[in-house]
Amino acid sequence: MMTHAAYDCDVLVIGGGIVGLSTAYALTRTAPGTRVTVLEKEWGPARHQTGRNSGVIHSGIYYAPGSLKARYAVRGATELVGFCEEHGIAHAVTGKLIVATDSAELPRLHALVQRGRAHGLPVRELGPAQIAEYEPRVRGLAAIRVGTTGVCDFAAVAGRLASEVGASGGEVRYGAEVVAVDRRPWGVAVRTADGRVVRARVLVNCAGLHSDRVALLAGDDPGARIVPFRGEYYELARPELVRGLVYPVPDPAFPFLGVHLTRGVDGTVHVGPNAVPALAREGYGRTVVRPGELAGTLAWPGSWRIARRHWRYGAGELHRSLSKSAFTRAVRRMLPEVTEDDLRPSPPGVRAQAVLRDGTLVDDFLIRDAPHTVHVLNAPSPAATASLPIGREVARRALLRARATGWTPPAVESGHCV
């Protein structure tokens, strides 16, 4: 058995996005004195999913009752607003409209009303005239307003979490790409691209777009693979057309919410995203191709099964990606005044979507334990909203793994309650 001094840290977190940093933050508060290190391959936090989304604090209305997404999003939205208030981070609770523009969408809209009320959310049903009270330029047959939805600067939240971890004695190390994981009876040893080795009692995998690859490095079969989907956004040249947040009624057969309108904390209005397969894990541009990663995606049987099952939906997304006029027509269903000239390209994002071998898109957050290891294998939207509860749950699991080795948190040793 290794001695305490032989470990470089007690818990090692891979990934400096909002989930990894929230986990480290929770560890420093749940078990003060625990030595926590975060390894992030980029030269700063929140460079991928966390910093490349529409900034929405989700209410939880879309997610099945009892699911982790529902429980953590509802709880996380409230906690995230409190965190932003405490630390002076830009945010606003604006509420949002979910708008039905076709009679076929009305039953799905009504189902969302029932789901929202089951979650205890403030949901108000609106007719066309009431829609205009909130959004004068938006048109629809009916809508619902969810009062707890908001917006914030998630990159700033991640930055603050990193600062809090550092202030509590933890370490966030940037430019530290993990290339090897060696799991031993005493814990794990991780090697980074610069040749440094970090030894820890427990490894936490919050690698997002690369979470399945890190699991495989650790010797664990994740049972799923990350299939990257690029989300393409536009910015509205006339932001005065939209006051807040406007969404279509989502298709329950697919995990994406459709093209929506989001007024951010800086007053700009983003439109999108559509969702098309990316040709690289970090394929933010259409021409970005990493042959090895693409080959891995194509070799996964689930990728082909998705294509067969959802080809019609995917063809529509691809058409809107290639045709600005088609994208504009999709927006005009809710916002008739929009023209192609109103839409200016905005930086895209990539969603890390876990896909099972049979082609099933993993719909809920997926967290799995292994010896000396906790893997977060699926944490797409609303993970940023739910990051504080997710972080606590992952921290709880990590501490259980650490205690199984005979380790006792320093606060317990000194008589403090943990």
PDB file of all heavy atoms in Angstrom, residues 254 300-310 354-362:
ATOM      1  N   PHE A 254     -35.962  12.841 -30.620  1.00  0.00           N
ATOM      2  CA  PHE A 254     -34.580  13.268 -30.817  1.00  0.00           C
ATOM      3  C   PHE A 254     -34.186  14.160 -29.651  1.00  0.00           C
ATOM      4  O   PHE A 254     -35.024  14.916 -29.132  1.00  0.00           O
ATOM      5  CB  PHE A 254     -34.459  14.025 -32.148  1.00  0.00           C
ATOM      6  CG  PHE A 254     -33.211  13.720 -32.906  1.00  0.00           C
ATOM      7  CD1 PHE A 254     -32.978  12.448 -33.400  1.00  0.00           C
ATOM      8  CD2 PHE A 254     -32.251  14.693 -33.134  1.00  0.00           C
ATOM      9  CE1 PHE A 254     -31.818  12.154 -34.117  1.00  0.00           C
ATOM     10  CE2 PHE A 254     -31.093  14.412 -33.841  1.00  0.00           C
ATOM     11  CZ  PHE A 254     -30.877  13.127 -34.341  1.00  0.00           C
ATOM     12  N   TRP A 300     -18.192   2.548 -35.081  1.00  0.00           N
ATOM     13  CA  TRP A 300     -19.129   2.226 -33.998  1.00  0.00           C
ATOM     14  C   TRP A 300     -20.483   1.863 -34.609  1.00  0.00           C
ATOM     15  O   TRP A 300     -21.083   2.678 -35.310  1.00  0.00           O
ATOM     16  CB  TRP A 300     -19.256   3.407 -33.044  1.00  0.00           C
ATOM     17  CG  TRP A 300     -20.155   3.169 -31.868  1.00  0.00           C
ATOM     18  CD1 TRP A 300     -21.289   3.864 -31.557  1.00  0.00           C
ATOM     19  CD2 TRP A 300     -19.980   2.199 -30.835  1.00  0.00           C
ATOM     20  NE1 TRP A 300     -21.838   3.386 -30.400  1.00  0.00           N
ATOM     21  CE2 TRP A 300     -21.052   2.357 -29.935  1.00  0.00           C
ATOM     22  CE3 TRP A 300     -19.024   1.207 -30.592  1.00  0.00           C
ATOM     23  CZ2 TRP A 300     -21.197   1.560 -28.798  1.00  0.00           C
ATOM     24  CZ3 TRP A 300     -19.168   0.411 -29.455  1.00  0.00           C
ATOM     25  CH2 TRP A 300     -20.232   0.597 -28.577  1.00  0.00           C
ATOM     26  N   PRO A 301     -21.000   0.661 -34.375  1.00  0.00           N
ATOM     27  CA  PRO A 301     -22.261   0.252 -35.006  1.00  0.00           C
ATOM     28  C   PRO A 301     -23.421   1.197 -34.724  1.00  0.00           C
ATOM     29  O   PRO A 301     -24.306   1.385 -35.569  1.00  0.00           O
ATOM     30  CB  PRO A 301     -22.517  -1.137 -34.397  1.00  0.00           C
ATOM     31  CG  PRO A 301     -21.173  -1.629 -33.976  1.00  0.00           C
ATOM     32  CD  PRO A 301     -20.406  -0.414 -33.557  1.00  0.00           C
ATOM     33  N   GLY A 302     -23.422   1.804 -33.541  1.00  0.00           N
ATOM     34  CA  GLY A 302     -24.508   2.714 -33.198  1.00  0.00           C
ATOM     35  C   GLY A 302     -24.612   3.905 -34.124  1.00  0.00           C
ATOM     36  O   GLY A 302     -25.703   4.441 -34.344  1.00  0.00           O
ATOM     37  N   SER A 303     -23.479   4.349 -34.702  1.00  0.00           N
ATOM     38  CA  SER A 303     -23.504   5.497 -35.604  1.00  0.00           C
ATOM     39  C   SER A 303     -24.357   5.201 -36.839  1.00  0.00           C
ATOM     40  O   SER A 303     -25.157   6.035 -37.282  1.00  0.00           O
ATOM     41  CB  SER A 303     -22.079   5.873 -36.029  1.00  0.00           C
ATOM     42  OG  SER A 303     -21.292   6.206 -34.915  1.00  0.00           O
ATOM     43  N   TRP A 304     -24.186   4.014 -37.401  1.00  0.00           N
ATOM     44  CA  TRP A 304     -24.948   3.642 -38.593  1.00  0.00           C
ATOM     45  C   TRP A 304     -26.417   3.418 -38.250  1.00  0.00           C
ATOM     46  O   TRP A 304     -27.306   3.726 -39.051  1.00  0.00           O
ATOM     47  CB  TRP A 304     -24.341   2.383 -39.216  1.00  0.00           C
ATOM     48  CG  TRP A 304     -22.972   2.632 -39.743  1.00  0.00           C
ATOM     49  CD1 TRP A 304     -21.782   2.327 -39.140  1.00  0.00           C
ATOM     50  CD2 TRP A 304     -22.638   3.300 -40.965  1.00  0.00           C
ATOM     51  NE1 TRP A 304     -20.722   2.752 -39.906  1.00  0.00           N
ATOM     52  CE2 TRP A 304     -21.220   3.337 -41.039  1.00  0.00           C
ATOM     53  CE3 TRP A 304     -23.387   3.842 -41.997  1.00  0.00           C
ATOM     54  CZ2 TRP A 304     -20.541   3.921 -42.109  1.00  0.00           C
ATOM     55  CZ3 TRP A 304     -22.714   4.415 -43.069  1.00  0.00           C
ATOM     56  CH2 TRP A 304     -21.320   4.451 -43.113  1.00  0.00           C
ATOM     57  N   ARG A 305     -26.664   2.889 -37.070  1.00  0.00           N
ATOM     58  CA  ARG A 305     -28.059   2.661 -36.672  1.00  0.00           C
ATOM     59  C   ARG A 305     -28.791   3.975 -36.427  1.00  0.00           C
ATOM     60  O   ARG A 305     -29.979   4.089 -36.701  1.00  0.00           O
ATOM     61  CB  ARG A 305     -28.092   1.742 -35.453  1.00  0.00           C
ATOM     62  CG  ARG A 305     -27.701   0.319 -35.842  1.00  0.00           C
ATOM     63  CD  ARG A 305     -27.418  -0.575 -34.665  1.00  0.00           C
ATOM     64  NE  ARG A 305     -27.072  -1.921 -35.140  1.00  0.00           N
ATOM     65  CZ  ARG A 305     -26.314  -2.779 -34.480  1.00  0.00           C
ATOM     66  NH1 ARG A 305     -25.799  -2.436 -33.299  1.00  0.00           N
ATOM     67  NH2 ARG A 305     -26.047  -3.968 -34.973  1.00  0.00           N
ATOM     68  N   ILE A 306     -28.076   4.988 -35.898  1.00  0.00           N
ATOM     69  CA  ILE A 306     -28.674   6.325 -35.783  1.00  0.00           C
ATOM     70  C   ILE A 306     -29.054   6.834 -37.164  1.00  0.00           C
ATOM     71  O   ILE A 306     -30.154   7.351 -37.373  1.00  0.00           O
ATOM     72  CB  ILE A 306     -27.682   7.341 -35.170  1.00  0.00           C
ATOM     73  CG1 ILE A 306     -27.462   7.087 -33.715  1.00  0.00           C
ATOM     74  CG2 ILE A 306     -28.224   8.768 -35.305  1.00  0.00           C
ATOM     75  CD1 ILE A 306     -26.382   7.998 -33.159  1.00  0.00           C
ATOM     76  N   ALA A 307     -28.125   6.710 -38.103  1.00  0.00           N
ATOM     77  CA  ALA A 307     -28.363   7.232 -39.450  1.00  0.00           C
ATOM     78  C   ALA A 307     -29.579   6.582 -40.079  1.00  0.00           C
ATOM     79  O   ALA A 307     -30.411   7.265 -40.706  1.00  0.00           O
ATOM     80  CB  ALA A 307     -27.126   6.999 -40.314  1.00  0.00           C
ATOM     81  N   ARG A 308     -29.721   5.266 -39.925  1.00  0.00           N
ATOM     82  CA  ARG A 308     -30.884   4.586 -40.502  1.00  0.00           C
ATOM     83  C   ARG A 308     -32.178   4.990 -39.802  1.00  0.00           C
ATOM     84  O   ARG A 308     -33.219   5.145 -40.438  1.00  0.00           O
ATOM     85  CB  ARG A 308     -30.686   3.067 -40.422  1.00  0.00           C
ATOM     86  CG  ARG A 308     -29.663   2.529 -41.411  1.00  0.00           C
ATOM     87  CD  ARG A 308     -29.790   1.025 -41.554  1.00  0.00           C
ATOM     88  NE  ARG A 308     -29.459   0.333 -40.317  1.00  0.00           N
ATOM     89  CZ  ARG A 308     -28.234  -0.104 -40.000  1.00  0.00           C
ATOM     90  NH1 ARG A 308     -27.221   0.109 -40.835  1.00  0.00           N
ATOM     91  NH2 ARG A 308     -28.010  -0.739 -38.873  1.00  0.00           N
ATOM     92  N   ARG A 309     -32.105   5.147 -38.499  1.00  0.00           N
ATOM     93  CA  ARG A 309     -33.312   5.413 -37.711  1.00  0.00           C
ATOM     94  C   ARG A 309     -33.793   6.857 -37.860  1.00  0.00           C
ATOM     95  O   ARG A 309     -34.988   7.130 -37.864  1.00  0.00           O
ATOM     96  CB  ARG A 309     -33.019   5.104 -36.238  1.00  0.00           C
ATOM     97  CG  ARG A 309     -34.226   5.039 -35.336  1.00  0.00           C
ATOM     98  CD  ARG A 309     -33.801   4.566 -33.956  1.00  0.00           C
ATOM     99  NE  ARG A 309     -33.166   3.247 -34.013  1.00  0.00           N
ATOM    100  CZ  ARG A 309     -32.381   2.760 -33.051  1.00  0.00           C
ATOM    101  NH1 ARG A 309     -32.117   3.485 -31.976  1.00  0.00           N
ATOM    102  NH2 ARG A 309     -31.853   1.553 -33.171  1.00  0.00           N
ATOM    103  N   HIS A 310     -32.835   7.796 -37.985  1.00  0.00           N
ATOM    104  CA  HIS A 310     -33.192   9.220 -37.956  1.00  0.00           C
ATOM    105  C   HIS A 310     -32.774   9.940 -39.235  1.00  0.00           C
ATOM    106  O   HIS A 310     -32.535  11.150 -39.215  1.00  0.00           O
ATOM    107  CB  HIS A 310     -32.524   9.897 -36.752  1.00  0.00           C
ATOM    108  CG  HIS A 310     -32.956   9.358 -35.420  1.00  0.00           C
ATOM    109  ND1 HIS A 310     -34.234   9.482 -34.943  1.00  0.00           N
ATOM    110  CD2 HIS A 310     -32.249   8.681 -34.472  1.00  0.00           C
ATOM    111  CE1 HIS A 310     -34.314   8.919 -33.738  1.00  0.00           C
ATOM    112  NE2 HIS A 310     -33.129   8.426 -33.439  1.00  0.00           N
ATOM    113  N   ALA A 354     -23.499  10.636 -26.197  1.00  0.00           N
ATOM    114  CA  ALA A 354     -23.198   9.216 -26.048  1.00  0.00           C
ATOM    115  C   ALA A 354     -24.241   8.391 -26.793  1.00  0.00           C
ATOM    116  O   ALA A 354     -25.450   8.642 -26.694  1.00  0.00           O
ATOM    117  CB  ALA A 354     -23.164   8.822 -24.577  1.00  0.00           C
ATOM    118  N   VAL A 355     -23.758   7.399 -27.546  1.00  0.00           N
ATOM    119  CA  VAL A 355     -24.621   6.542 -28.352  1.00  0.00           C
ATOM    120  C   VAL A 355     -24.312   5.083 -28.022  1.00  0.00           C
ATOM    121  O   VAL A 355     -23.141   4.677 -28.024  1.00  0.00           O
ATOM    122  CB  VAL A 355     -24.395   6.797 -29.861  1.00  0.00           C
ATOM    123  CG1 VAL A 355     -25.258   5.865 -30.710  1.00  0.00           C
ATOM    124  CG2 VAL A 355     -24.696   8.258 -30.198  1.00  0.00           C
ATOM    125  N   LEU A 356     -25.358   4.304 -27.737  1.00  0.00           N
ATOM    126  CA  LEU A 356     -25.169   2.886 -27.456  1.00  0.00           C
ATOM    127  C   LEU A 356     -24.914   2.112 -28.737  1.00  0.00           C
ATOM    128  O   LEU A 356     -25.158   2.598 -29.845  1.00  0.00           O
ATOM    129  CB  LEU A 356     -26.404   2.335 -26.735  1.00  0.00           C
ATOM    130  CG  LEU A 356     -26.785   3.009 -25.406  1.00  0.00           C
ATOM    131  CD1 LEU A 356     -28.019   2.346 -24.822  1.00  0.00           C
ATOM    132  CD2 LEU A 356     -25.625   2.977 -24.417  1.00  0.00           C
ATOM    133  N   ARG A 357     -24.469   0.880 -28.594  1.00  0.00           N
ATOM    134  CA  ARG A 357     -24.156   0.041 -29.746  1.00  0.00           C
ATOM    135  C   ARG A 357     -25.369  -0.160 -30.648  1.00  0.00           C
ATOM    136  O   ARG A 357     -25.239  -0.275 -31.872  1.00  0.00           O
ATOM    137  CB  ARG A 357     -23.618  -1.317 -29.272  1.00  0.00           C
ATOM    138  CG  ARG A 357     -23.243  -2.271 -30.387  1.00  0.00           C
ATOM    139  CD  ARG A 357     -22.617  -3.540 -29.823  1.00  0.00           C
ATOM    140  NE  ARG A 357     -21.292  -3.271 -29.280  1.00  0.00           N
ATOM    141  CZ  ARG A 357     -20.180  -3.285 -30.008  1.00  0.00           C
ATOM    142  NH1 ARG A 357     -20.230  -3.542 -31.304  1.00  0.00           N
ATOM    143  NH2 ARG A 357     -19.017  -3.049 -29.442  1.00  0.00           N
ATOM    144  N   ASP A 358     -26.574  -0.201 -30.050  1.00  0.00           N
ATOM    145  CA  ASP A 358     -27.774  -0.436 -30.854  1.00  0.00           C
ATOM    146  C   ASP A 358     -28.320   0.835 -31.501  1.00  0.00           C
ATOM    147  O   ASP A 358     -29.383   0.817 -32.115  1.00  0.00           O
ATOM    148  CB  ASP A 358     -28.874  -1.100 -30.016  1.00  0.00           C
ATOM    149  CG  ASP A 358     -29.401  -0.195 -28.898  1.00  0.00           C
ATOM    150  OD1 ASP A 358     -28.946   0.966 -28.783  1.00  0.00           O
ATOM    151  OD2 ASP A 358     -30.265  -0.647 -28.131  1.00  0.00           O
ATOM    152  N   GLY A 359     -27.588   1.932 -31.370  1.00  0.00           N
ATOM    153  CA  GLY A 359     -28.009   3.185 -31.985  1.00  0.00           C
ATOM    154  C   GLY A 359     -28.873   4.062 -31.101  1.00  0.00           C
ATOM    155  O   GLY A 359     -29.288   5.141 -31.520  1.00  0.00           O
ATOM    156  N   THR A 360     -29.116   3.638 -29.870  1.00  0.00           N
ATOM    157  CA  THR A 360     -29.904   4.455 -28.944  1.00  0.00           C
ATOM    158  C   THR A 360     -29.078   5.651 -28.489  1.00  0.00           C
ATOM    159  O   THR A 360     -27.922   5.503 -28.065  1.00  0.00           O
ATOM    160  CB  THR A 360     -30.318   3.639 -27.709  1.00  0.00           C
ATOM    161  OG1 THR A 360     -31.099   2.523 -28.132  1.00  0.00           O
ATOM    162  CG2 THR A 360     -31.133   4.489 -26.739  1.00  0.00           C
ATOM    163  N   LEU A 361     -29.664   6.831 -28.593  1.00  0.00           N
ATOM    164  CA  LEU A 361     -29.033   8.032 -28.060  1.00  0.00           C
ATOM    165  C   LEU A 361     -29.267   8.060 -26.554  1.00  0.00           C
ATOM    166  O   LEU A 361     -30.407   8.045 -26.101  1.00  0.00           O
ATOM    167  CB  LEU A 361     -29.638   9.278 -28.709  1.00  0.00           C
ATOM    168  CG  LEU A 361     -29.473   9.388 -30.233  1.00  0.00           C
ATOM    169  CD1 LEU A 361     -30.420  10.431 -30.793  1.00  0.00           C
ATOM    170  CD2 LEU A 361     -28.048   9.728 -30.580  1.00  0.00           C
ATOM    171  N   VAL A 362     -28.192   8.070 -25.780  1.00  0.00           N
ATOM    172  CA  VAL A 362     -28.344   8.070 -24.323  1.00  0.00           C
ATOM    173  C   VAL A 362     -29.042   9.360 -23.922  1.00  0.00           C
ATOM    174  O   VAL A 362     -28.538  10.458 -24.168  1.00  0.00           O
ATOM    175  CB  VAL A 362     -26.974   7.946 -23.626  1.00  0.00           C
ATOM    176  CG1 VAL A 362     -27.143   7.992 -22.113  1.00  0.00           C
ATOM    177  CG2 VAL A 362     -26.291   6.645 -24.043  1.00  0.00           C
TER     178      VAL A 362
END
